[in-house]
C-alpha cells in the first residue's frame, strides 16, 4: 500500500517552490484514475451536487451524500490525500456541531481532511476541528455555499474592502491551524500576494499561477459537464462527446446484430449443447 501525501508534504512542497495538484472525484473509478495519474489531493467537493446529483447548486448536498461518495473515493485511492467538503449547514451552526460532523466525515469515510468555506465567521469551528486533530483546509473568495449572499458566481476581491477581508481571513485560518486554503475566482495579483504572505499552501481555482497549487472539478477538466464552463476551466479532454459516440456505436451494433460478436459469447460445443437440450 502506497503512503498517502500528508499535510507536512504539502507544506514542504511550498517551501521548495513546488506546485501542488488537486482534482475532485466522487466515486471509486474516478478516484482510482485520479490517484494513478499522480494527483496530490483528491477533493470530494460538494460540487458533487451539481455535476453528479443534478442539483442546481451546492446548497442541497447533505452530509449523508458526502459520506456515501467519500467512502467510494477513499476505497479507490492510495497515494492522494482525500479532502472532504463539509456541506452547507454542517459547520455553520456552532463549534460542537461542526466538530461532530467533521468527525463523522473522517471516521465514516476514512478521508484525511475536511474543507470549510469562510473566514473569521467560522474560525471557532475551524479551531474546534483542528484541536480534535483533524486537518482543515479553508476556502475563500467565491464560496459557492454563499452564492445567494455574493449575488452570483462572480470574481471576488476586486474592491479594497473585500480584498482586505480576504487577506485577514487567510491569516486567521493559518493562525487557527488550517493546513491550506483554496482561493476561488480571485484576481491573480491578489491571490499571488496572499500566497506570498502565508506559510500554508494557497490552492487556486480561477486565481492564477502565483498560487502554490491548483484545483479543478473532474467533470470540467474531462469535458463531462456541458451546462456551463467557467472562464478559469481548461478542458483537457472531451469525454462527453466521446462517450456519446461510443454509445451510438453500441446502439447501432446491437440493432444491426453486430454485437455481441464471437469473442463476447460462451460456446458449449455441438455435443454438449445436444446433451443439454435433450
Ligand atoms: O466543491 C468543489 O468542487 C470545490 C472546488 C471548486 C474547489 O469546492
Amino acid at each position: 500500500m502506497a503512503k498517502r501525501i500528508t499535510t507536512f508534504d504539502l507544506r514542504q512542497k511550498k517551501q521548495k517552490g513546488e506546485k501542488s495538484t488537486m482534482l475532485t472525484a466522487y466515486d471509486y473509478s474516478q478516484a482510482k484514475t485520479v490517484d494513478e495519474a499522480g494527483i496530490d489531493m483528491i477533493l470530494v467537493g460538494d460540487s458533487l451536487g451539481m455535476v453528479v446529483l443534478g442539483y442546481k447548486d451546492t446548497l442541497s448536498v447533505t452530509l449523508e451524500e458526502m459520506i456515501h461518495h467519500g467512502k467510494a473515493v477513499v476505497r479507490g485511492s492510495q497515494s492522494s490525500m482525500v479532502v472532504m467538503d463539509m456541506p452547507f449547514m454542517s459547520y455553520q451552526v456552532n463549534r460542537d456541531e461542526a466538530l461532530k460532523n467533521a468527525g463523522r466525515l473522517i471516521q465514516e469515510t476514512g478521508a484525511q481532511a475536511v474543507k470549510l468555506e469562510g473566514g473569521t465567521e467560522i474560525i471557532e469551528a475551524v479551531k474546534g476541528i483542528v484541536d480534535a486533530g483533524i486537518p482543515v483546509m479553508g476556502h475563500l473568495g467565491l464560496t459557492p455555499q454563499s452564492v445567494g449572499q455574493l449575488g452570483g458566481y462572480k470574481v471576488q476581491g476586486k474592491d479594497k474592502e473585500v480584498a482586505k477581508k480576504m487577506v485577514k481571513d487567510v491569516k486567521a485560518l493559518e493562525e487557527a491551524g488550517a493546513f491550506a486554503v483554496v482561493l476561488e475566482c480571485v484576481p491573480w495579483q491578489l491571490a499571488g500576494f496572499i500566497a506570498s504572505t502565508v506559510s500554508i499552501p494557497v490552492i487556486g481555482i480561477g486565481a492564477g499561477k502565483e498560487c502554490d497549487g491548483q484545483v479543478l472539478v473532474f467533470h470540467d477538466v474531462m469535458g463531462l459537464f456541458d451546462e456551463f464552463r467557467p472562464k478559469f476551466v481548461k478542458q483537457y479532454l472531451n469525454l462527453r462527446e466521446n462517450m456519446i459516440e461510443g454509445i451510438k456505436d453500441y446502439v447501432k451494433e446491437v440493432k444491426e446484430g453486430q454485437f455481441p460478436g464471437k469473442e463476447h459469447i460462451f460456446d458449449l460445443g455441438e455435443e454438449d449443447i445436444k446433451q443439454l437440450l435433450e
Side-chain angles (χ1 to χ4, degrees):
M1 181 66 80
K3 182 185 157 298
R4 288 193 192 262
I5 300 267
T6 65
T7 56
F8 180 76
D9 298 328
L10 296 169
R11 197 182 272 249
Q12 274 205 324
K13 275 182 159 228
K14 171 158 179 148
Q15 282 163 3
K16 288 190 211 151
E18 281 174 31
K19 301 284 183 190
S20 294
T21 54
M22 189 178 203
L23 197 60
T24 66
Y26 314 95
D27 67 29
Y28 176 79
S29 309
Q30 281 167 8
K32 240 181 128 177
T33 313
V34 169
D35 186 278
E36 203 174 309
I39 286 278
D40 295 319
M41 290 173 281
I42 297 181
L43 173 64
V44 186
D46 59 359
S47 47
L48 164 80
M50 288 154 102
V51 298
V52 175
L53 302 176
Y55 300 151
K56 72 171 193 344
D57 53 37
T58 59
L59 304 183
S60 316
V61 178
T62 65
L63 195 69
E64 304 307 324
E65 286 166 340
M66 291 302 298
I67 290 172
H68 178 77
H69 287 268
K71 281 180 176 175
V73 167
V74 171
R75 284 194 291 266
S77 56
Q78 290 193 339
S79 312
S80 314
M81 174 196 287
V82 179
V83 183
M84 297 292 306
D85 250 348
M86 292 197 71
F88 181 55
M89 291 319 290
S90 69
Y91 57 94
Q92 289 90 343
V93 176
N94 61 45
R95 178 178 169 134
D96 288 352
E97 226 176 282
L99 176 55
K100 192 180 89 203
N101 290 329
R104 281 197 64 195
L105 284 166
I106 296 297
Q107 202 164 40
E108 295 181 35
T109 65
Q112 286 72 51
V114 295
K115 174 164 86 57
L116 286 71
E117 294 182 8
T120 47
E121 48 313 321
I122 56 143
I123 218 67
E124 284 310 310
V126 171
K127 282 183 189 158
I129 299 169
V130 169
D131 285 351
I134 300 173
V136 170
M137 176 178 252
H139 184 160
L140 293 166
L142 172 53
T143 45
Q145 291 177 14
S146 314
V147 63
Q149 203 171 49
L150 298 176
Y153 297 96
K154 296 177 186 160
V155 179
Q156 299 296 311
K158 288 210 277 192
D159 55 89
K160 200 166 183 165
E161 207 182 312
V162 177
K164 271 186 142 178
K165 169 147 172 44
M166 208 182 296
V167 173
K168 195 172 142 207
D169 281 343
V170 179
K171 289 244 162 75
L173 285 167
E174 181 183 34
E175 276 165 27
F179 72 92
V181 63
V182 166
L183 284 188
E184 179 166 352
C185 254
V186 173
W188 69 268
Q189 298 92 336
L190 176 61
F193 170 75
I194 290 175
S196 71
T197 56
V198 287
S199 62
I200 56 174
V202 171
I203 310 296
I205 172 164
K209 62 179 176 190
E210 310 300 317
C211 293
D212 304 303
Q214 298 293 324
V215 55
L216 282 174
V217 168
F218 182 91
H219 289 57
D220 291 337
V221 173
M222 297 295 151
L224 279 169
F225 188 69
D226 69 336
E227 289 172 24
F228 60 85
R229 181 165 4 130
K231 174 181 158 76
F232 56 74
V233 167
K234 180 167 177 185
Q235 188 183 312
Y236 286 82
L237 291 176
N238 197 345
L239 286 193
R240 189 170 182 276
E241 290 211 341
N242 283 349
M243 282 161 72
I244 292 174
E245 283 315 306
I247 295 164
K248 280 184 176 167
D249 287 347
Y250 166 68
V251 168
K252 183 169 173 282
E253 291 196 2
V254 169
K255 285 186 175 169
E256 292 175 357
Q258 290 168 30
F259 177 82
K262 264 198 183 137
E263 65 278 30
H264 308 117
I265 55 175
F266 306 100
D267 187 16
L268 262 179
E270 261 180 53
E271 271 314 301
D272 287 347
I273 191 71
K274 243 193 222 161
Q275 277 184 17
L276 197 78
L277 300 179
E278 248 172 18

